[in-house]
Amino acid sequence: MSVGLSAVEGPVLIIGAGLLGSSIGLGLRAQSVDVVVSDASPTNEAVAEDIGAGRSLRALEQSQESLSDPAVVVVASPPDVTASIVIESLRKYPHATVMDISSVKRSIAEEVLAANVDASRYVGTHPMAGREKSGPVAARGELFTSMPWVICAHESTRPEAVKTAVTIAVELGATVTHLDVEEHDRTVALISHVPQVMSSLLASRLQDTPLYALGLAGQGLRDTVRIAGSDPGLWVQILSANAQPVVQTLYGVREDLERLIKTLESPTASGARLDIAQLMSEGNNGVNRIPGKHGGAPAAFSQMTVLVDDTPGQIAQLLAEIGELGVNLEDLRLEHSPGQPAGLVEISVNPNEHEKLVEDLTERGWKVVR
């Protein structure tokens, strides 16, 4: 048992030293938890140790130093091997709580429960956090701060195993939600997996687009296709493992798409414009249901756009001056037109502060568009 700043008992063995596994290690090590990291790639494992995410299991074995039975095993491996590693860990470490952090849950739980192992010590979990970069070099100990972490216990999971998983999530700064595996997979299909599919499908339309046309692209296109740069190999595993919930959501998208296509084929027909407006309005309604900055229903903020020179320190200066004026930013977006020596900063603020901030920034020499 490790004695430190955390309520988490160690040693904690993390199998998989990628972005998430290494980030968990960094977060636990910052609280003096004894962490050992293992990875199929010796390089990843060594890098994870070098950045302080834990001791290398391979190095321990080479030095003939034995690993104490871990109190917790965190399986942070790719989805297609997660279940087999969970099963192996339950057999190898008979006193450990074994939790995985895969983004799909039902297929893994079914395979574990079908195996001849003590599945009462297994807890499926899913931290809803990540970065566009991957690997241990991209790891951050604060990656999970204020991010959702889903706990998917099955019927025979021991209460103490659930408590351990919750403790790790909370100690890393996450917000815990409990779902069963079916509800989890349906939910992530809609909020994570289908958005990836839609982004990739749109981005695929750009492959043969002339460069001069792409040079006209604004922030809307960039925002929509940003996640299309994700790792194809990982998404093959995720989409294959969660195919049915994804397909069910795509059926609904297909219905709306076919409806829009039919309408746009005769855009001046009676009722066509109303149907287009209804589709756009339905999208507005969906966006408005996404929780805002402080949780609950999103607040209605006022936006303004500030033109900034494309020189070092301009955005930092703008933010500093807004802080000096005592205004709290609710949201911020950056946009930059290719080839232009200026950028646009779109700011969202409380409506009561909007007019005064426009006046104050204008007086300070900033070019503000209401």
Side-chain angles (χ1 to χ4, degrees), residues 14-58:
I14 299 175
I15 303 176
L19 169 64
L20 295 183
S22 295
S23 293
I24 292 172
L26 285 171
L28 293 178
R29 285 299 304 129
Q31 300 182 56
S32 300
V33 178
D34 182 17
V35 177
V36 176
V37 292
S38 172
D39 196 278
S41 164
T43 299
N44 276 0
E45 186 173 316
V47 171
E49 181 176 47
D50 288 344
I51 64 173
R55 297 181 291 154
S56 163
L57 178 61
R58 188 175 276 102

Side-chain angles (χ1 to χ4, degrees), residues 202-269:
L202 175 59
S204 71
R205 299 294 89 206
L206 308 178
Q207 294 178 93
D208 300 320
T209 303
L211 290 179
Y212 71 83
L214 293 177
L216 302 175
Q219 196 63 33
L221 179 64
R222 292 184 176 85
D223 287 346
T224 307
V225 302
R226 178 182 59 82
I227 59 174
S230 300
D231 178 15
L234 175 62
W235 277 100
V236 168
Q237 297 181 40
I238 292 173
L239 293 175
S240 298
N242 202 30
Q244 282 309 114
V246 170
V247 166
Q248 291 302 315
T249 302
L250 288 175
Y251 284 155
V253 173
R254 182 174 66 184
E255 290 177 4
D256 287 341
L257 186 58
E258 289 176 344
R259 171 184 165 191
L260 179 59
I261 290 172
K262 184 177 180 180
T263 298
L264 291 179
E265 286 175 341
S266 302
T268 59

Side-chain angles (χ1 to χ4, degrees), residues 2 20 48 60 66 82 128 137 147-148 206 213 227 253 266 287 291 367:
S2 65
L20 295 183
L60 287 175
S66 61
T82 293
M128 306 286 288
V137 293
M147 302 301 291
L206 308 178
I227 59 174
V253 173
S266 302
V287 168
K367 298 178 181 178

Side-chain angles (χ1 to χ4, degrees), residues 83-364:
S84 61
I85 295 177
V86 167
I87 292 168
E88 179 185 357
S89 298
L90 289 169
R91 289 174 176 154
K92 187 173 182 179
Y93 306 109
H95 304 294
T97 293
V98 179
M99 54 186 284
D100 79 275
I101 60 169
S102 174
S103 59
V104 290
K105 298 267 72 82
R106 183 183 60 82
S107 59
I108 293 171
E110 288 178 347
E111 189 172 342
V112 172
L113 291 173
N116 183 26
V117 292
D118 178 13
S120 69
R121 294 182 287 111
Y122 164 65
V123 188
T125 82
H126 180 199
M128 306 286 288
R131 301 184 66 194
E132 292 179 22
K133 301 177 182 179
S134 61
V137 293
R140 298 290 183 271
E142 66 278 5
L143 184 68
F144 309 100
T145 303
S146 300
M147 302 301 291
W149 195 311
V150 185
I151 307 294
C152 298
H154 55 87
E155 290 184 359
S156 61
T157 304
R158 297 179 187 178
E160 56 267 32
V162 175
K163 181 180 178 180
T164 296
V166 170
T167 299
I168 287 178
V170 171
E171 292 289 288
L172 293 173
T175 302
V176 172
T177 297
H178 294 268
L179 297 175
D180 62 43
V181 292
E182 288 82 6
E183 187 176 8
H184 168 274
D185 286 2
R186 287 195 305 269
T187 299
V188 297
L190 176 61
I191 68 171
S192 176
H193 301 169
V194 169
Q196 174 66 52
V197 170
M198 301 302 290
S199 178
S200 295
L201 289 176
L202 175 59
S204 71
R205 299 294 89 206
L206 308 178
Q207 294 178 93
D208 300 320
T209 303
L211 290 179
Y212 71 83
L214 293 177
L216 302 175
Q219 196 63 33
L221 179 64
R222 292 184 176 85
D223 287 346
T224 307
V225 302
R226 178 182 59 82
I227 59 174
S230 300
D231 178 15
L234 175 62
W235 277 100
V236 168
Q237 297 181 40
I238 292 173
L239 293 175
S240 298
N242 202 30
Q244 282 309 114
V246 170
V247 166
Q248 291 302 315
T249 302
L250 288 175
Y251 284 155
V253 173
R254 182 174 66 184
E255 290 177 4
D256 287 341
L257 186 58
E258 289 176 344
R259 171 184 165 191
L260 179 59
I261 290 172
K262 184 177 180 180
T263 298
L264 291 179
E265 286 175 341
S266 302
T268 59
S270 176
R273 292 176 179 83
L274 175 60
D275 193 46
I276 295 170
Q278 287 177 336
L279 276 169
M280 297 300 105
S281 179
E282 289 166 9
N284 294 158
N285 294 338
V287 168
N288 290 336
R289 297 194 68 234
I290 300 174
K293 172 182 173 183
H294 303 292
F301 301 124
S302 294
Q303 284 82 34
M304 68 184 72
T305 301
V306 183
L307 183 68
V308 296
D309 294 333
D310 187 15
T311 55
Q314 283 289 291
I315 295 175
Q317 181 182 342
L318 173 63
L319 297 181
E321 293 192 21
I322 292 173
E324 290 172 5
L325 293 169
V327 176
N328 182 45
L329 293 184
E330 301 295 341
D331 199 2
L332 179 145
R333 293 176 67 250
L334 301 177
E335 183 172 350
H336 190 279
S337 297
Q340 300 300 315
L344 302 174
V345 180
E346 184 179 285
I347 297 168
S348 297
V349 297
N350 187 302
N352 297 328
E353 299 176 319
H354 180 266
E355 291 300 322
K356 183 67 165 58
L357 181 59
V358 170
E359 294 176 5
D360 289 342
L361 289 177
T362 301
E363 288 179 3
R364 290 176 175 234

